[in-house]
Amino acid sequence: MGSFSITHWLILLVVVVVVFGTSKLRNAGKDLGGAVKGFKEAVKDENTEHAKKHVVLDHDGNAHTEERSTTTKVDDTHNV
């Protein structure tokens, strides 16, 4: 009962085409492709929106992205 051979896959494909028909399978493929495309666009829009939130203006009015650091700064000057 291991993996299916090529003949099993071909028989399964023929049964699916007979049961559903080619037009329904074509429409299902279009719907699936549209869903994947919509998901990718939503992720891209979310990343763009996130990047816009972190734009900071400096004193000259130039925009740059804000970089956050998780480390704390240590004062290098020592009182001797």
Side-chain angles (χ1 to χ4, degrees), residues 46-66:
E46 183 67 28
N47 289 340
T48 304
E49 188 93 14
H50 182 69
K52 286 181 182 178
K53 289 181 181 179
H54 294 288
V55 172
V56 178
L57 295 177
D58 61 8
H59 293 292
D60 297 330
N62 298 327
H64 64 278
T65 57
E66 178 183 32

Side-chain angles (χ1 to χ4, degrees), residues 35-49:
V36 170
K37 184 178 179 182
F39 178 76
K40 287 181 180 181
E41 287 177 357
V43 169
K44 182 180 176 182
D45 290 344
E46 183 67 28
N47 289 340
T48 304
E49 188 93 14

